[in-house]
Amino acid sequence: MTKVLLILAASLAACCSAATAGDWYASVYGGINRNSVIELPFVDSNDGEVIGATIGRNLSIPGLRIEADLSYRTNEVDLFGGALTANHETTAAMFNVAYDFGAGPVKPYLLGGIGAAKTQATFENISLLRIEASDLAYQAGAGATVPIAAGVRFGVGYRYFQGPVVEVLGTELSDGVNHSLIANLAFDL
């Protein structure tokens, strides 16, 4: 995973140094997250949270931007009516490419990203039981932003995130799919 993070950082640096026009920005986001877990009658996945931050740059190609994205997703999974509870947490480092389009103040966007993620499933009722998985990850998203002050934009969006598959004894507990509805604030640097 360290190699992937170094490659992501080098890619961002190379792309940004090649950009001749544009500005840097930073953003923070948060929202509701739902992850896919094994579908059995005694398993209930609760909606959880996603939080994240990005740093990026608008490129010389109008509407095109790149960003480094760090995120954390968490969901609680109840088994057997809550007799057993698992905390499902995923941390990810991503390299995103986004395209903003539209001529008015509201800017719709499309986004795609690739990176690395680590997922942990910790069972609260059974001490010392933690299942971990790390792998490449990807995401796709769409949304819209609108300026709310000089150099500040507010946005809403959707993210489809594919993280690591979590397995135990050959049984898939989670396929790594997450669906997130987010709100974000972006600040020009």
Side-chain angles (χ1 to χ4, degrees), residues 29 33-36 50 69 71 73 90-94 96 113-119 135-141 158-164 175-180:
Y29 62 89
N33 187 69
R34 175 165 285 262
N35 69 336
S36 297
V50 58
D69 179 352
S71 64
R73 292 168 170 77
T90 301
T91 305
M94 307 293 287
N96 299 328
I114 189 164
K118 179 179 182 179
T119 297
D135 206 348
L136 289 176
Y138 62 88
Q139 66 182 350
Y158 164 80
R159 297 266 174 100
Y160 170 90
F161 176 84
Q162 175 64 59
D175 63 8
V177 172
N178 289 261
H179 301 277
S180 303

PDB file of all heavy atoms in Angstrom, residues 29 33-36 50 69 71 73 90-94 96 113-119 135-141 158-164 175-180:
ATOM      1  N   TYR A  29     -15.244  16.938   2.933  1.00  0.00           N
ATOM      2  CA  TYR A  29     -16.581  16.431   2.645  1.00  0.00           C
ATOM      3  C   TYR A  29     -17.011  15.420   3.695  1.00  0.00           C
ATOM      4  O   TYR A  29     -16.196  14.866   4.431  1.00  0.00           O
ATOM      5  CB  TYR A  29     -16.667  15.824   1.234  1.00  0.00           C
ATOM      6  CG  TYR A  29     -15.785  14.632   0.971  1.00  0.00           C
ATOM      7  CD1 TYR A  29     -16.223  13.336   1.233  1.00  0.00           C
ATOM      8  CD2 TYR A  29     -14.520  14.791   0.410  1.00  0.00           C
ATOM      9  CE1 TYR A  29     -15.423  12.239   0.971  1.00  0.00           C
ATOM     10  CE2 TYR A  29     -13.713  13.708   0.140  1.00  0.00           C
ATOM     11  CZ  TYR A  29     -14.172  12.422   0.409  1.00  0.00           C
ATOM     12  OH  TYR A  29     -13.377  11.341   0.133  1.00  0.00           O
ATOM     13  N   ASN A  33     -23.027   6.919   4.297  1.00  0.00           N
ATOM     14  CA  ASN A  33     -22.394   5.822   3.569  1.00  0.00           C
ATOM     15  C   ASN A  33     -23.161   4.522   3.807  1.00  0.00           C
ATOM     16  O   ASN A  33     -23.602   4.251   4.909  1.00  0.00           O
ATOM     17  CB  ASN A  33     -20.947   5.653   4.039  1.00  0.00           C
ATOM     18  CG  ASN A  33     -20.194   4.650   3.197  1.00  0.00           C
ATOM     19  OD1 ASN A  33     -19.928   4.914   2.036  1.00  0.00           O
ATOM     20  ND2 ASN A  33     -19.852   3.517   3.776  1.00  0.00           N
ATOM     21  N   ARG A  34     -23.315   3.749   2.762  1.00  0.00           N
ATOM     22  CA  ARG A  34     -23.897   2.406   2.868  1.00  0.00           C
ATOM     23  C   ARG A  34     -22.939   1.440   2.195  1.00  0.00           C
ATOM     24  O   ARG A  34     -22.527   1.666   1.066  1.00  0.00           O
ATOM     25  CB  ARG A  34     -25.262   2.342   2.210  1.00  0.00           C
ATOM     26  CG  ARG A  34     -25.829   0.918   2.216  1.00  0.00           C
ATOM     27  CD  ARG A  34     -27.305   0.874   1.906  1.00  0.00           C
ATOM     28  NE  ARG A  34     -28.081   1.322   3.037  1.00  0.00           N
ATOM     29  CZ  ARG A  34     -28.660   0.506   3.914  1.00  0.00           C
ATOM     30  NH1 ARG A  34     -28.520  -0.781   3.810  1.00  0.00           N
ATOM     31  NH2 ARG A  34     -29.373   0.998   4.908  1.00  0.00           N
ATOM     32  N   ASN A  35     -22.576   0.385   2.917  1.00  0.00           N
ATOM     33  CA  ASN A  35     -21.698  -0.611   2.318  1.00  0.00           C
ATOM     34  C   ASN A  35     -22.447  -1.919   2.112  1.00  0.00           C
ATOM     35  O   ASN A  35     -23.442  -2.188   2.765  1.00  0.00           O
ATOM     36  CB  ASN A  35     -20.419  -0.822   3.141  1.00  0.00           C
ATOM     37  CG  ASN A  35     -20.674  -1.496   4.468  1.00  0.00           C
ATOM     38  OD1 ASN A  35     -21.758  -1.427   5.002  1.00  0.00           O
ATOM     39  ND2 ASN A  35     -19.665  -2.111   5.018  1.00  0.00           N
ATOM     40  N   SER A  36     -21.959  -2.706   1.172  1.00  0.00           N
ATOM     41  CA  SER A  36     -22.593  -3.988   0.859  1.00  0.00           C
ATOM     42  C   SER A  36     -21.967  -5.076   1.706  1.00  0.00           C
ATOM     43  O   SER A  36     -20.758  -5.275   1.674  1.00  0.00           O
ATOM     44  CB  SER A  36     -22.409  -4.320  -0.621  1.00  0.00           C
ATOM     45  OG  SER A  36     -23.044  -3.366  -1.427  1.00  0.00           O
ATOM     46  N   VAL A  50     -19.237   8.852   6.015  1.00  0.00           N
ATOM     47  CA  VAL A  50     -18.012   9.015   5.240  1.00  0.00           C
ATOM     48  C   VAL A  50     -17.515  10.437   5.485  1.00  0.00           C
ATOM     49  O   VAL A  50     -18.309  11.379   5.539  1.00  0.00           O
ATOM     50  CB  VAL A  50     -18.224   8.752   3.732  1.00  0.00           C
ATOM     51  CG1 VAL A  50     -19.273   9.674   3.136  1.00  0.00           C
ATOM     52  CG2 VAL A  50     -16.908   8.873   2.962  1.00  0.00           C
ATOM     53  N   ASP A  69      -7.096  12.433  -2.665  1.00  0.00           N
ATOM     54  CA  ASP A  69      -8.301  12.293  -1.843  1.00  0.00           C
ATOM     55  C   ASP A  69      -8.031  11.276  -0.734  1.00  0.00           C
ATOM     56  O   ASP A  69      -7.663  10.135  -1.014  1.00  0.00           O
ATOM     57  CB  ASP A  69      -9.432  11.806  -2.757  1.00  0.00           C
ATOM     58  CG  ASP A  69     -10.759  11.572  -2.067  1.00  0.00           C
ATOM     59  OD1 ASP A  69     -10.836  11.624  -0.831  1.00  0.00           O
ATOM     60  OD2 ASP A  69     -11.744  11.320  -2.794  1.00  0.00           O
ATOM     61  N   SER A  71      -9.960   9.432   2.520  1.00  0.00           N
ATOM     62  CA  SER A  71     -11.315   9.267   3.049  1.00  0.00           C
ATOM     63  C   SER A  71     -11.372   8.163   4.094  1.00  0.00           C
ATOM     64  O   SER A  71     -10.513   7.279   4.149  1.00  0.00           O
ATOM     65  CB  SER A  71     -12.302   8.950   1.919  1.00  0.00           C
ATOM     66  OG  SER A  71     -11.982   7.708   1.321  1.00  0.00           O
ATOM     67  N   ARG A  73     -14.542   5.688   5.826  1.00  0.00           N
ATOM     68  CA  ARG A  73     -15.939   5.253   5.830  1.00  0.00           C
ATOM     69  C   ARG A  73     -16.143   4.289   6.990  1.00  0.00           C
ATOM     70  O   ARG A  73     -15.289   3.450   7.254  1.00  0.00           O
ATOM     71  CB  ARG A  73     -16.268   4.532   4.520  1.00  0.00           C
ATOM     72  CG  ARG A  73     -16.260   5.421   3.315  1.00  0.00           C
ATOM     73  CD  ARG A  73     -16.303   4.595   2.013  1.00  0.00           C
ATOM     74  NE  ARG A  73     -16.523   5.454   0.873  1.00  0.00           N
ATOM     75  CZ  ARG A  73     -15.599   6.212   0.311  1.00  0.00           C
ATOM     76  NH1 ARG A  73     -14.366   6.209   0.786  1.00  0.00           N
ATOM     77  NH2 ARG A  73     -15.880   6.981  -0.710  1.00  0.00           N
ATOM     78  N   THR A  90     -13.311   1.603   6.495  1.00  0.00           N
ATOM     79  CA  THR A  90     -12.434   1.617   5.331  1.00  0.00           C
ATOM     80  C   THR A  90     -11.734   2.974   5.251  1.00  0.00           C
ATOM     81  O   THR A  90     -12.383   4.019   5.306  1.00  0.00           O
ATOM     82  CB  THR A  90     -13.222   1.367   4.033  1.00  0.00           C
ATOM     83  OG1 THR A  90     -13.871   0.097   4.129  1.00  0.00           O
ATOM     84  CG2 THR A  90     -12.304   1.373   2.822  1.00  0.00           C
ATOM     85  N   THR A  91     -10.421   2.923   5.114  1.00  0.00           N
ATOM     86  CA  THR A  91      -9.602   4.112   4.898  1.00  0.00           C
ATOM     87  C   THR A  91      -9.025   4.016   3.493  1.00  0.00           C
ATOM     88  O   THR A  91      -8.545   2.953   3.097  1.00  0.00           O
ATOM     89  CB  THR A  91      -8.465   4.176   5.937  1.00  0.00           C
ATOM     90  OG1 THR A  91      -9.043   4.116   7.244  1.00  0.00           O
ATOM     91  CG2 THR A  91      -7.667   5.454   5.801  1.00  0.00           C
ATOM     92  N   ALA A  92      -9.053   5.137   2.744  1.00  0.00           N
ATOM     93  CA  ALA A  92      -8.586   5.095   1.355  1.00  0.00           C
ATOM     94  C   ALA A  92      -7.768   6.337   1.009  1.00  0.00           C
ATOM     95  O   ALA A  92      -8.025   7.424   1.514  1.00  0.00           O
ATOM     96  CB  ALA A  92      -9.772   4.986   0.401  1.00  0.00           C
ATOM     97  N   ALA A  93      -6.792   6.125   0.133  1.00  0.00           N
ATOM     98  CA  ALA A  93      -6.018   7.211  -0.490  1.00  0.00           C
ATOM     99  C   ALA A  93      -6.213   7.066  -1.994  1.00  0.00           C
ATOM    100  O   ALA A  93      -5.879   6.027  -2.575  1.00  0.00           O
ATOM    101  CB  ALA A  93      -4.544   7.105  -0.121  1.00  0.00           C
ATOM    102  N   MET A  94      -6.771   8.095  -2.613  1.00  0.00           N
ATOM    103  CA  MET A  94      -7.158   8.013  -4.023  1.00  0.00           C
ATOM    104  C   MET A  94      -6.545   9.155  -4.835  1.00  0.00           C
ATOM    105  O   MET A  94      -6.243  10.223  -4.303  1.00  0.00           O
ATOM    106  CB  MET A  94      -8.686   8.090  -4.153  1.00  0.00           C
ATOM    107  CG  MET A  94      -9.462   7.096  -3.300  1.00  0.00           C
ATOM    108  SD  MET A  94      -9.252   5.395  -3.790  1.00  0.00           S
ATOM    109  CE  MET A  94     -10.204   5.374  -5.300  1.00  0.00           C
ATOM    110  N   ASN A  96      -7.835  11.270  -8.032  1.00  0.00           N
ATOM    111  CA  ASN A  96      -9.053  11.497  -8.805  1.00  0.00           C
ATOM    112  C   ASN A  96      -8.801  12.421  -9.986  1.00  0.00           C
ATOM    113  O   ASN A  96      -7.974  13.336  -9.916  1.00  0.00           O
ATOM    114  CB  ASN A  96     -10.138  12.150  -7.934  1.00  0.00           C
ATOM    115  CG  ASN A  96     -10.547  11.297  -6.758  1.00  0.00           C
ATOM    116  OD1 ASN A  96     -10.531  10.078  -6.834  1.00  0.00           O
ATOM    117  ND2 ASN A  96     -10.913  11.941  -5.670  1.00  0.00           N
ATOM    118  N   GLY A 113     -11.679   7.843  -9.939  1.00  0.00           N
ATOM    119  CA  GLY A 113     -10.449   7.778  -9.159  1.00  0.00           C
ATOM    120  C   GLY A 113      -9.969   6.360  -8.963  1.00  0.00           C
ATOM    121  O   GLY A 113     -10.728   5.402  -9.068  1.00  0.00           O
ATOM    122  N   ILE A 114      -8.669   6.251  -8.674  1.00  0.00           N
ATOM    123  CA  ILE A 114      -8.044   4.970  -8.386  1.00  0.00           C
ATOM    124  C   ILE A 114      -7.058   5.182  -7.246  1.00  0.00           C
ATOM    125  O   ILE A 114      -6.497   6.266  -7.103  1.00  0.00           O
ATOM    126  CB  ILE A 114      -7.352   4.382  -9.636  1.00  0.00           C
ATOM    127  CG1 ILE A 114      -6.907   2.950  -9.367  1.00  0.00           C
ATOM    128  CG2 ILE A 114      -6.209   5.264 -10.109  1.00  0.00           C
ATOM    129  CD1 ILE A 114      -6.571   2.177 -10.615  1.00  0.00           C
ATOM    130  N   GLY A 115      -6.874   4.150  -6.430  1.00  0.00           N
ATOM    131  CA  GLY A 115      -5.958   4.281  -5.300  1.00  0.00           C
ATOM    132  C   GLY A 115      -5.861   3.000  -4.510  1.00  0.00           C
ATOM    133  O   GLY A 115      -5.968   1.904  -5.064  1.00  0.00           O
ATOM    134  N   ALA A 116      -5.676   3.146  -3.217  1.00  0.00           N
ATOM    135  CA  ALA A 116      -5.521   1.999  -2.317  1.00  0.00           C
ATOM    136  C   ALA A 116      -6.446   2.186  -1.124  1.00  0.00           C
ATOM    137  O   ALA A 116      -6.719   3.305  -0.702  1.00  0.00           O
ATOM    138  CB  ALA A 116      -4.082   1.903  -1.844  1.00  0.00           C
ATOM    139  N   ALA A 117      -6.922   1.056  -0.590  1.00  0.00           N
ATOM    140  CA  ALA A 117      -7.819   1.107   0.572  1.00  0.00           C
ATOM    141  C   ALA A 117      -7.531  -0.058   1.504  1.00  0.00           C
ATOM    142  O   ALA A 117      -7.058  -1.112   1.090  1.00  0.00           O
ATOM    143  CB  ALA A 117      -9.277   1.070   0.125  1.00  0.00           C
ATOM    144  N   LYS A 118      -7.842   0.174   2.774  1.00  0.00           N
ATOM    145  CA  LYS A 118      -7.729  -0.857   3.806  1.00  0.00           C
ATOM    146  C   LYS A 118      -9.051  -0.910   4.558  1.00  0.00           C
ATOM    147  O   LYS A 118      -9.559   0.119   5.000  1.00  0.00           O
ATOM    148  CB  LYS A 118      -6.597  -0.534   4.776  1.00  0.00           C
ATOM    149  CG  LYS A 118      -6.435  -1.559   5.877  1.00  0.00           C
ATOM    150  CD  LYS A 118      -5.278  -1.194   6.789  1.00  0.00           C
ATOM    151  CE  LYS A 118      -5.083  -2.237   7.866  1.00  0.00           C
ATOM    152  NZ  LYS A 118      -3.941  -1.903   8.728  1.00  0.00           N
ATOM    153  N   THR A 119      -9.607  -2.104   4.686  1.00  0.00           N
ATOM    154  CA  THR A 119     -10.861  -2.302   5.401  1.00  0.00           C
ATOM    155  C   THR A 119     -10.616  -3.180   6.619  1.00  0.00           C
ATOM    156  O   THR A 119      -9.892  -4.167   6.544  1.00  0.00           O
ATOM    157  CB  THR A 119     -11.912  -2.962   4.491  1.00  0.00           C
ATOM    158  OG1 THR A 119     -12.186  -2.075   3.406  1.00  0.00           O
ATOM    159  CG2 THR A 119     -13.204  -3.231   5.232  1.00  0.00           C
ATOM    160  N   ASP A 135      -6.299  -3.541  -0.586  1.00  0.00           N
ATOM    161  CA  ASP A 135      -6.282  -3.803  -2.020  1.00  0.00           C
ATOM    162  C   ASP A 135      -6.376  -2.473  -2.775  1.00  0.00           C
ATOM    163  O   ASP A 135      -6.578  -1.419  -2.170  1.00  0.00           O
ATOM    164  CB  ASP A 135      -7.476  -4.685  -2.396  1.00  0.00           C
ATOM    165  CG  ASP A 135      -7.224  -5.512  -3.654  1.00  0.00           C
ATOM    166  OD1 ASP A 135      -6.235  -5.259  -4.374  1.00  0.00           O
ATOM    167  OD2 ASP A 135      -8.033  -6.423  -3.920  1.00  0.00           O
ATOM    168  N   LEU A 136      -6.255  -2.568  -4.099  1.00  0.00           N
ATOM    169  CA  LEU A 136      -6.517  -1.405  -4.935  1.00  0.00           C
ATOM    170  C   LEU A 136      -7.993  -1.051  -4.806  1.00  0.00           C
ATOM    171  O   LEU A 136      -8.830  -1.913  -4.529  1.00  0.00           O
ATOM    172  CB  LEU A 136      -6.182  -1.705  -6.395  1.00  0.00           C
ATOM    173  CG  LEU A 136      -4.706  -1.836  -6.723  1.00  0.00           C
ATOM    174  CD1 LEU A 136      -4.521  -2.231  -8.182  1.00  0.00           C
ATOM    175  CD2 LEU A 136      -3.974  -0.535  -6.438  1.00  0.00           C
ATOM    176  N   ALA A 137      -8.303   0.209  -5.017  1.00  0.00           N
ATOM    177  CA  ALA A 137      -9.681   0.680  -4.928  1.00  0.00           C
ATOM    178  C   ALA A 137      -9.944   1.625  -6.093  1.00  0.00           C
ATOM    179  O   ALA A 137      -9.015   2.186  -6.680  1.00  0.00           O
ATOM    180  CB  ALA A 137      -9.903   1.407  -3.603  1.00  0.00           C
ATOM    181  N   TYR A 138     -11.211   1.772  -6.441  1.00  0.00           N
ATOM    182  CA  TYR A 138     -11.583   2.765  -7.448  1.00  0.00           C
ATOM    183  C   TYR A 138     -12.919   3.372  -7.059  1.00  0.00           C
ATOM    184  O   TYR A 138     -13.664   2.818  -6.246  1.00  0.00           O
ATOM    185  CB  TYR A 138     -11.617   2.167  -8.856  1.00  0.00           C
ATOM    186  CG  TYR A 138     -12.621   1.066  -9.062  1.00  0.00           C
ATOM    187  CD1 TYR A 138     -13.933   1.345  -9.450  1.00  0.00           C
ATOM    188  CD2 TYR A 138     -12.267  -0.265  -8.892  1.00  0.00           C
ATOM    189  CE1 TYR A 138     -14.848   0.338  -9.648  1.00  0.00           C
ATOM    190  CE2 TYR A 138     -13.176  -1.288  -9.090  1.00  0.00           C
ATOM    191  CZ  TYR A 138     -14.465  -0.979  -9.474  1.00  0.00           C
ATOM    192  OH  TYR A 138     -15.379  -1.982  -9.667  1.00  0.00           O
ATOM    193  N   GLN A 139     -13.181   4.532  -7.635  1.00  0.00           N
ATOM    194  CA  GLN A 139     -14.447   5.206  -7.367  1.00  0.00           C
ATOM    195  C   GLN A 139     -14.905   5.992  -8.585  1.00  0.00           C
ATOM    196  O   GLN A 139     -14.095   6.352  -9.448  1.00  0.00           O
ATOM    197  CB  GLN A 139     -14.355   6.106  -6.145  1.00  0.00           C
ATOM    198  CG  GLN A 139     -13.442   7.288  -6.253  1.00  0.00           C
ATOM    199  CD  GLN A 139     -13.397   8.088  -4.961  1.00  0.00           C
ATOM    200  OE1 GLN A 139     -14.177   7.885  -4.039  1.00  0.00           O
ATOM    201  NE2 GLN A 139     -12.469   9.023  -4.879  1.00  0.00           N
ATOM    202  N   ALA A 140     -16.190   6.252  -8.635  1.00  0.00           N
ATOM    203  CA  ALA A 140     -16.795   7.095  -9.659  1.00  0.00           C
ATOM    204  C   ALA A 140     -17.831   7.952  -8.952  1.00  0.00           C
ATOM    205  O   ALA A 140     -18.423   7.531  -7.950  1.00  0.00           O
ATOM    206  CB  ALA A 140     -17.453   6.247 -10.739  1.00  0.00           C
ATOM    207  N   GLY A 141     -18.019   9.150  -9.450  1.00  0.00           N
ATOM    208  CA  GLY A 141     -18.968  10.039  -8.791  1.00  0.00           C
ATOM    209  C   GLY A 141     -19.509  11.102  -9.712  1.00  0.00           C
ATOM    210  O   GLY A 141     -19.019  11.301 -10.832  1.00  0.00           O
ATOM    211  N   TYR A 158     -22.656  12.233  -5.265  1.00  0.00           N
ATOM    212  CA  TYR A 158     -22.767  10.799  -5.027  1.00  0.00           C
ATOM    213  C   TYR A 158     -21.418  10.158  -5.372  1.00  0.00           C
ATOM    214  O   TYR A 158     -20.764  10.569  -6.337  1.00  0.00           O
ATOM    215  CB  TYR A 158     -23.863  10.186  -5.913  1.00  0.00           C
ATOM    216  CG  TYR A 158     -23.773   8.681  -5.996  1.00  0.00           C
ATOM    217  CD1 TYR A 158     -24.271   7.890  -4.970  1.00  0.00           C
ATOM    218  CD2 TYR A 158     -23.169   8.065  -7.086  1.00  0.00           C
ATOM    219  CE1 TYR A 158     -24.164   6.507  -5.025  1.00  0.00           C
ATOM    220  CE2 TYR A 158     -23.066   6.681  -7.154  1.00  0.00           C
ATOM    221  CZ  TYR A 158     -23.559   5.902  -6.119  1.00  0.00           C
ATOM    222  OH  TYR A 158     -23.442   4.539  -6.174  1.00  0.00           O
ATOM    223  N   ARG A 159     -21.008   9.175  -4.581  1.00  0.00           N
ATOM    224  CA  ARG A 159     -19.786   8.413  -4.871  1.00  0.00           C
ATOM    225  C   ARG A 159     -20.078   6.927  -4.806  1.00  0.00           C
ATOM    226  O   ARG A 159     -20.667   6.434  -3.836  1.00  0.00           O
ATOM    227  CB  ARG A 159     -18.674   8.717  -3.868  1.00  0.00           C
ATOM    228  CG  ARG A 159     -18.186  10.135  -3.857  1.00  0.00           C
ATOM    229  CD  ARG A 159     -16.981  10.346  -4.756  1.00  0.00           C
ATOM    230  NE  ARG A 159     -16.625  11.733  -4.839  1.00  0.00           N
ATOM    231  CZ  ARG A 159     -15.648  12.307  -4.156  1.00  0.00           C
ATOM    232  NH1 ARG A 159     -14.956  11.609  -3.296  1.00  0.00           N
ATOM    233  NH2 ARG A 159     -15.366  13.575  -4.331  1.00  0.00           N
ATOM    234  N   TYR A 160     -19.670   6.219  -5.844  1.00  0.00           N
ATOM    235  CA  TYR A 160     -19.630   4.761  -5.837  1.00  0.00           C
ATOM    236  C   TYR A 160     -18.177   4.399  -5.566  1.00  0.00           C
ATOM    237  O   TYR A 160     -17.284   4.832  -6.293  1.00  0.00           O
ATOM    238  CB  TYR A 160     -20.066   4.204  -7.190  1.00  0.00           C
ATOM    239  CG  TYR A 160     -19.826   2.712  -7.323  1.00  0.00           C
ATOM    240  CD1 TYR A 160     -20.806   1.806  -6.940  1.00  0.00           C
ATOM    241  CD2 TYR A 160     -18.621   2.216  -7.818  1.00  0.00           C
ATOM    242  CE1 TYR A 160     -20.584   0.444  -7.042  1.00  0.00           C
ATOM    243  CE2 TYR A 160     -18.391   0.862  -7.916  1.00  0.00           C
ATOM    244  CZ  TYR A 160     -19.378  -0.021  -7.529  1.00  0.00           C
ATOM    245  OH  TYR A 160     -19.150  -1.368  -7.627  1.00  0.00           O
ATOM    246  N   PHE A 161     -17.930   3.637  -4.514  1.00  0.00           N
ATOM    247  CA  PHE A 161     -16.562   3.293  -4.111  1.00  0.00           C
ATOM    248  C   PHE A 161     -16.432   1.779  -4.027  1.00  0.00           C
ATOM    249  O   PHE A 161     -17.239   1.118  -3.374  1.00  0.00           O
ATOM    250  CB  PHE A 161     -16.262   3.919  -2.746  1.00  0.00           C
ATOM    251  CG  PHE A 161     -14.918   3.559  -2.188  1.00  0.00           C
ATOM    252  CD1 PHE A 161     -13.782   4.253  -2.559  1.00  0.00           C
ATOM    253  CD2 PHE A 161     -14.786   2.516  -1.287  1.00  0.00           C
ATOM    254  CE1 PHE A 161     -12.540   3.920  -2.042  1.00  0.00           C
ATOM    255  CE2 PHE A 161     -13.559   2.178  -0.757  1.00  0.00           C
ATOM    256  CZ  PHE A 161     -12.431   2.878  -1.143  1.00  0.00           C
ATOM    257  N   GLN A 162     -15.420   1.232  -4.713  1.00  0.00           N
ATOM    258  CA  GLN A 162     -15.129  -0.200  -4.645  1.00  0.00           C
ATOM    259  C   GLN A 162     -13.833  -0.380  -3.872  1.00  0.00           C
ATOM    260  O   GLN A 162     -12.760  -0.028  -4.353  1.00  0.00           O
ATOM    261  CB  GLN A 162     -14.980  -0.802  -6.041  1.00  0.00           C
ATOM    262  CG  GLN A 162     -14.550  -2.260  -6.048  1.00  0.00           C
ATOM    263  CD  GLN A 162     -15.567  -3.190  -5.429  1.00  0.00           C
ATOM    264  OE1 GLN A 162     -16.703  -3.270  -5.873  1.00  0.00           O
ATOM    265  NE2 GLN A 162     -15.174  -3.910  -4.386  1.00  0.00           N
ATOM    266  N   GLY A 163     -13.958  -0.902  -2.649  1.00  0.00           N
ATOM    267  CA  GLY A 163     -12.802  -1.152  -1.800  1.00  0.00           C
ATOM    268  C   GLY A 163     -12.491  -2.629  -1.732  1.00  0.00           C
ATOM    269  O   GLY A 163     -12.997  -3.430  -2.526  1.00  0.00           O
ATOM    270  N   PRO A 164     -11.675  -3.036  -0.759  1.00  0.00           N
ATOM    271  CA  PRO A 164     -11.278  -4.436  -0.639  1.00  0.00           C
ATOM    272  C   PRO A 164     -12.451  -5.355  -0.270  1.00  0.00           C
ATOM    273  O   PRO A 164     -13.347  -4.971   0.467  1.00  0.00           O
ATOM    274  CB  PRO A 164     -10.260  -4.434   0.510  1.00  0.00           C
ATOM    275  CG  PRO A 164      -9.861  -3.022   0.688  1.00  0.00           C
ATOM    276  CD  PRO A 164     -10.992  -2.185   0.206  1.00  0.00           C
ATOM    277  N   ASP A 175     -18.479  -7.249  -0.147  1.00  0.00           N
ATOM    278  CA  ASP A 175     -17.878  -7.177  -1.482  1.00  0.00           C
ATOM    279  C   ASP A 175     -17.108  -5.884  -1.714  1.00  0.00           C
ATOM    280  O   ASP A 175     -16.585  -5.642  -2.788  1.00  0.00           O
ATOM    281  CB  ASP A 175     -18.927  -7.384  -2.569  1.00  0.00           C
ATOM    282  CG  ASP A 175     -20.003  -6.306  -2.586  1.00  0.00           C
ATOM    283  OD1 ASP A 175     -19.879  -5.295  -1.857  1.00  0.00           O
ATOM    284  OD2 ASP A 175     -20.978  -6.459  -3.339  1.00  0.00           O
ATOM    285  N   GLY A 176     -17.032  -5.029  -0.691  1.00  0.00           N
ATOM    286  CA  GLY A 176     -16.251  -3.799  -0.792  1.00  0.00           C
ATOM    287  C   GLY A 176     -16.966  -2.627  -1.426  1.00  0.00           C
ATOM    288  O   GLY A 176     -16.410  -1.537  -1.536  1.00  0.00           O
ATOM    289  N   VAL A 177     -18.214  -2.806  -1.857  1.00  0.00           N
ATOM    290  CA  VAL A 177     -18.957  -1.731  -2.521  1.00  0.00           C
ATOM    291  C   VAL A 177     -19.549  -0.791  -1.479  1.00  0.00           C
ATOM    292  O   VAL A 177     -20.146  -1.222  -0.502  1.00  0.00           O
ATOM    293  CB  VAL A 177     -20.068  -2.306  -3.422  1.00  0.00           C
ATOM    294  CG1 VAL A 177     -20.968  -1.199  -3.955  1.00  0.00           C
ATOM    295  CG2 VAL A 177     -19.461  -3.096  -4.570  1.00  0.00           C
ATOM    296  N   ASN A 178     -19.364   0.522  -1.701  1.00  0.00           N
ATOM    297  CA  ASN A 178     -19.932   1.560  -0.842  1.00  0.00           C
ATOM    298  C   ASN A 178     -20.646   2.578  -1.721  1.00  0.00           C
ATOM    299  O   ASN A 178     -20.152   2.943  -2.796  1.00  0.00           O
ATOM    300  CB  ASN A 178     -18.821   2.290  -0.076  1.00  0.00           C
ATOM    301  CG  ASN A 178     -18.202   1.437   0.997  1.00  0.00           C
ATOM    302  OD1 ASN A 178     -18.529   1.549   2.158  1.00  0.00           O
ATOM    303  ND2 ASN A 178     -17.286   0.555   0.603  1.00  0.00           N
ATOM    304  N   HIS A 179     -21.783   3.047  -1.257  1.00  0.00           N
ATOM    305  CA  HIS A 179     -22.533   4.115  -1.912  1.00  0.00           C
ATOM    306  C   HIS A 179     -22.603   5.271  -0.920  1.00  0.00           C
ATOM    307  O   HIS A 179     -23.041   5.087   0.213  1.00  0.00           O
ATOM    308  CB  HIS A 179     -23.947   3.658  -2.273  1.00  0.00           C
ATOM    309  CG  HIS A 179     -23.975   2.478  -3.190  1.00  0.00           C
ATOM    310  ND1 HIS A 179     -23.842   2.603  -4.544  1.00  0.00           N
ATOM    311  CD2 HIS A 179     -24.099   1.146  -2.931  1.00  0.00           C
ATOM    312  CE1 HIS A 179     -23.895   1.403  -5.095  1.00  0.00           C
ATOM    313  NE2 HIS A 179     -24.043   0.495  -4.138  1.00  0.00           N
ATOM    314  N   SER A 180     -22.175   6.459  -1.348  1.00  0.00           N
ATOM    315  CA  SER A 180     -22.124   7.610  -0.447  1.00  0.00           C
ATOM    316  C   SER A 180     -22.830   8.817  -1.049  1.00  0.00           C
ATOM    317  O   SER A 180     -22.641   9.127  -2.227  1.00  0.00           O
ATOM    318  CB  SER A 180     -20.677   8.004  -0.151  1.00  0.00           C
ATOM    319  OG  SER A 180     -19.959   6.932   0.386  1.00  0.00           O
TER     320      SER A 180
END
